[in-house]
Amino acid sequence: MTEEIRVRFAPSPTGKVHIGNIRAAIYNWLYARHVGGKFLLRVEDTDLERSTPEAIQALFDCMEWLGLGLGDEPVFYQTKNVKRHLEVVERLLASGDAYKVERTSRDGKTGVVTMFRMPKEGTIEFDDIVKGHMAKKAEDIPDFAIVRSDGSPIFHLANVVDDIDQRVTHIIRGDDHVENTFKHICLFRAIGAPIPHYGHLSMIVNAQGKPYSKRDGAAFVGEFRDAGYLPEALFNYLLLLGWNPGDEREVLTREEMVSLFDLEKVHVTAAKFDLKKLQWMNGEYIKRLPRDEFKAAMRKSVEGLEGAAGRDEAWWDRLCDQMQVRTKFLKDMPGNIEYFFRDDYAFDPKAVEKRLAKDGVKATLLDLADRFEKVATWDAVSLEVVVKELSQGQGMGPWVHPVRVAVSGRTEGPGLFELLELLGREHSLARIRAAAAKYCP
Ligand code: GLU
């Protein structure tokens, strides 16, 4: 029987979960699912000041929100394993792999710290699943502390002992840990435990190629959640930051991700964060929402507006057809559909300036309103015929643009003729004439 593959996500909770960190969780999760292994969650909560219950809860919330769950085994807390950390230190002291030294800290206090004795010759090597062969001379790494003078274990030791105790077979983490890995391999050896496989993920960088940080914009999962991103869209986008399925596909179902994900195909080069692409991805996920879900969100957003009452189901369906493919964020509603439901809709001053406040527009609008008034059936096809005839193959822009601003106050929205059909004869004509009188010279 082959050994079960066990991976873990081991964050130090601080209250905010950086997208680079959660991307590591996503890669671990997908890898475990792909190989039929276990995904474990370890909370490295030894920094007692930052790892508050609230910070840990914020971490859990992010993981649940993204559909990662909290791991396939009970959550492992680093602080609960301190006894084991210190037992291992005793063994390392006994075998001569560790020793104690007196140290004076910056505040002048003298205490005893425990140091790990690095091998003094040879090369430390490992084959990184992402980065390839890595090597460093042992003599280039000085001995390092593993227990503080107050008796508390230090990251390197706690991290390695916990990985041993959780029987982790593959460590997939950010490449800010590469230098640590050389030390950790020596610790695994000295303790006498098998060395896990490693895969170090490149950083997420900004447009200048520097590590992506909060100075570059939203950097924490909670900020994207609050900004209206769908968890599936953020998940899919972060997955593509450093991996792709090897073809043109970008929007993938969770099943496709699980079946296609492969650690060996993770990119070595740093991944550039691209907000535009993430916004596009969100729109793609909104298009794929069940129609009823989108329709319900749309209706709820305009609940209480006078014009929303008394519309039939077919009308809402038609509005849904127009809006679901054009919506990037659910929270852009009601803003981008409000004009359907109130006659005192807002006019975007820039749109007015560009499309209405021009010579000749008034005559165009009034003439068009008169022609529209004569159509037998108020539907998109009949209205389009009117403008087509007027434009005589020269492009419908000079009619379409001002009418759109007149009836909606904005430059973007559904196809104009569908919009007019949805708005209805009476409202459309009244709006075109009123806007012509109010905004056109
Ligand atoms: N708590 C460390 C971190 O968040 C551990 C990383 C790891 O070993 O995966 O950077």
Side-chain angles (χ1 to χ4, degrees):
M1 205 186 95
T2 48
E3 184 194 29
E4 178 186 57
I5 292 184
R6 295 167 66 85
V7 297
R8 86 303 191 268
F9 174 46
S12 312
T14 60
K16 287 182 171 172
V17 185
H18 191 275
I19 47 170
N21 242 339
I22 209 72
R23 188 184 56 149
I26 290 173
Y27 282 22
N28 273 289
W29 187 91
L30 284 172
Y31 185 62
R33 294 290 171 271
H34 179 74
V35 297
K38 289 263 161 53
F39 169 70
L40 312 173
L41 174 59
R42 177 165 82 236
V43 180
E44 298 212 328
D45 55 347
T46 43
D47 180 343
L48 299 176
E49 267 172 38
R50 300 175 86 192
S51 301
T52 58
E54 294 76 29
I56 294 173
Q57 191 56 48
L59 165 73
F60 290 174
D61 291 347
C62 284
M63 295 190 65
E64 298 277 17
W65 183 69
L66 282 164
L68 294 165
L70 301 183
D72 301 328
E73 289 178 5
V75 179
F76 187 105
Y77 293 88
Q78 188 152 71
T79 45
K80 301 240 166 83
N81 210 26
V82 172
K83 206 170 142 244
R84 269 277 302 153
H85 303 155
L86 297 177
E87 277 169 20
V88 170
V89 173
E90 286 309 315
R91 273 173 38 210
L92 291 173
L93 284 166
S95 63
D97 290 300
Y99 59 94
K100 295 186 182 209
V101 286
E102 209 168 76
R103 276 277 170 84
T104 310
S105 58
R106 265 187 235 120
D107 55 12
K109 282 200 198 109
T110 309
V112 175
V113 298
T114 307
M115 304 292 290
F116 179 71
R117 195 187 309 279
M118 278 293 295
K120 297 293 170 284
E121 51 196 43
T123 311
I124 308 155
E125 297 178 60
F126 63 100
D127 285 312
D128 192 284
I129 304 168
V130 177
K131 294 186 174 297
H133 188 72
M134 310 288 283
K136 193 163 176 143
K137 280 203 192 112
E139 68 193 66
D140 291 341
I141 307 173
D143 294 353
F144 56 92
I146 52 176
V147 182
R148 294 185 191 82
S149 56
D150 66 4
S152 62
I154 284 172
F155 166 74
H156 302 298
L157 179 91
N159 185 267
V160 165
V161 173
D162 290 352
D163 278 330
I164 294 170
D165 290 359
Q166 287 194 286
R167 292 178 287 119
V168 172
T169 59
H170 292 65
I171 295 181
I172 306 163
R173 60 182 174 190
D175 66 5
D176 48 334
H177 285 291
V178 167
E179 290 303 312
N180 293 334
T181 294
F182 292 108
K183 296 178 182 169
H184 294 187
I185 287 175
C186 298
L187 272 168
F188 277 104
R189 276 204 191 112
I191 297 168
I195 296 164
H197 301 277
Y198 285 95
H200 288 94
L201 309 172
S202 64
M203 299 275 103
I204 298 177
V205 296
N206 64 15
Q208 290 74 44
K210 297 264 150 53
Y212 186 88
S213 80
K214 58 185 177 195
R215 265 164 290 144
D216 297 304
F220 302 107
V221 175
E223 293 176 279
F224 291 97
R225 182 179 53 204
D226 297 345
Y229 286 91
L230 298 174
E232 297 79 13
L234 185 63
F235 189 111
N236 195 152
Y237 176 73
L238 291 175
L239 169 61
L240 293 188
L241 269 184
W243 175 87
N244 64 56
D247 55 33
E248 298 298 299
R249 273 178 295 177
E250 296 197 291
V251 182
L252 304 168
T253 65
R254 199 71 60 113
E255 292 72 37
E256 287 170 329
M257 295 173 185
V258 167
S259 84
L260 297 167
F261 184 75
D262 189 350
L263 260 187
E264 284 171 14
K265 300 238 171 67
V266 169
H267 306 159
V268 184
T269 48
K272 233 172 229 166
F273 187 79
D274 178 354
L275 187 64
K276 283 258 150 45
K277 176 125 191 212
L278 173 57
Q279 290 169 345
W280 167 82
M281 183 68 83
N282 210 52
E284 290 302 304
Y285 273 85
I286 287 186
K287 278 185 205 162
R288 287 164 175 78
L289 280 181
R291 182 195 177 83
D292 283 342
E293 198 176 311
F294 182 82
K295 199 162 72 169
M298 196 172 72
R299 289 178 77 151
K300 194 165 186 318
S301 78
V302 293
E303 216 170 47
L305 289 181
E306 206 184 325
R311 307 272 187 185
D312 61 23
E313 216 48 42
W315 187 89
W316 285 109
D317 281 335
R318 279 185 289 147
L319 182 61
C320 194
D321 288 341
Q322 291 298 317
M323 295 313 298
Q324 188 162 2
V325 294
R326 293 183 163 82
T327 302
K328 290 251 170 356
F329 295 96
L330 289 176
K331 69 179 191 133
D332 288 345
M333 296 184 295
N336 58 9
I337 52 168
E338 228 172 7
Y339 59 87
F340 282 105
F341 309 100
R342 60 195 314 161
D343 287 323
D344 58 344
Y345 52 102
F347 279 79
D348 167 13
K350 281 210 192 88
V352 169
E353 193 188 312
K354 189 162 173 211
R355 302 296 184 194
L356 300 180
K358 295 246 160 78
D359 286 342
V361 172
K362 189 179 212 161
T364 303
L365 285 176
L366 294 177
D367 170 57
L368 190 59
D370 291 345
R371 290 168 190 263
F372 277 168
E373 196 160 16
K374 297 197 187 84
V375 300
T377 6
W378 190 267
D379 59 28
V381 176
S382 315
L383 296 168
E384 185 167 359
V385 166
V386 173
V387 178
K388 269 228 169 88
E389 274 173 19
L390 274 171
S391 66
Q392 295 182 342
Q394 298 294 304
M396 300 192 283
W399 290 269
V400 165
H401 298 312
V403 173
R404 173 187 297 286
V405 176
V407 299
S408 72
R410 28 171 72 218
T411 53
E412 273 162 38
L416 178 71
F417 303 107
E418 285 76 12
L419 190 167
L420 293 172
E421 180 182 323
L422 282 163
L423 206 53
R425 182 190 290 266
E426 199 190 315
H427 285 281
S428 300
L429 295 176
R431 287 183 182 194
I432 296 171
R433 289 176 174 142
K438 188 165 176 191
Y439 295 109
C440 300

